[in-house]
Amino acid sequence: MKDARDIIIAPIISENSMEQMEEANTYTFKVAKNSNKVEIRNAVEEIFKVKVINVNTMNVRGKKRRLGFHEGKKPDWKKALVTLAEDDEIEIYEGL
């Protein structure tokens, strides 16, 4: 069984994610590529002690980057949008 801290990698803090947090109580996380919605739901509930209503995931392609003649690619990653119950909130986003 995977550890919850291995599934949730980092919160994503952007203008769009902050708007979703205020309007729809939806939080955005960078998660492990091989995790599924059930694992993400259980990990968020275990780490933050909240009730998860819905989980949406998306695979994000890494962008191509160039430096002169050399061309590279940033790694692909997975994003999860987690909707919480109305009375729940996650404290790491407070004060931002």
Side-chain angles (χ1 to χ4, degrees):
M1 187 171 144
K2 298 178 190 175
D3 184 36
R5 303 264 179 202
D6 293 334
I7 295 172
I8 305 295
I9 297 172
I12 297 175
I13 300 172
S14 64
E15 286 184 30
N16 191 12
S17 66
M18 297 306 280
E19 284 180 16
Q20 288 179 343
M21 181 187 72
E22 293 170 0
E23 295 173 3
N25 203 22
T26 301
Y27 294 82
T28 309
F29 295 98
K30 182 176 182 178
V31 296
K33 273 196 65 111
N34 58 355
S35 60
N36 60 34
K37 292 181 181 187
V38 175
E39 293 172 338
I40 294 168
R41 173 190 300 265
N42 293 336
V44 170
E45 287 179 347
E46 179 183 332
I47 293 171
F48 301 110
K49 308 291 190 260
V50 293
K51 175 73 174 136
V52 175
I53 301 297
N54 189 21
V55 177
N56 294 328
T57 60
M58 58 192 82
N59 289 311
V60 181
R61 288 189 189 167
K63 296 181 179 180
K64 291 184 179 180
R65 296 290 184 211
R66 283 180 56 138
L67 184 60
F69 180 72
H70 302 287
E71 187 173 295
K73 181 179 171 290
K74 289 193 169 191
D76 299 337
W77 54 285
K78 191 172 201 176
K79 183 190 328 188
L81 300 171
V82 179
T83 304
L84 303 181
E86 289 186 24
D87 55 341
D88 287 336
E89 63 182 25
I90 296 177
E91 288 79 23
I92 59 170
Y93 286 92
E94 295 303 314
L96 296 177

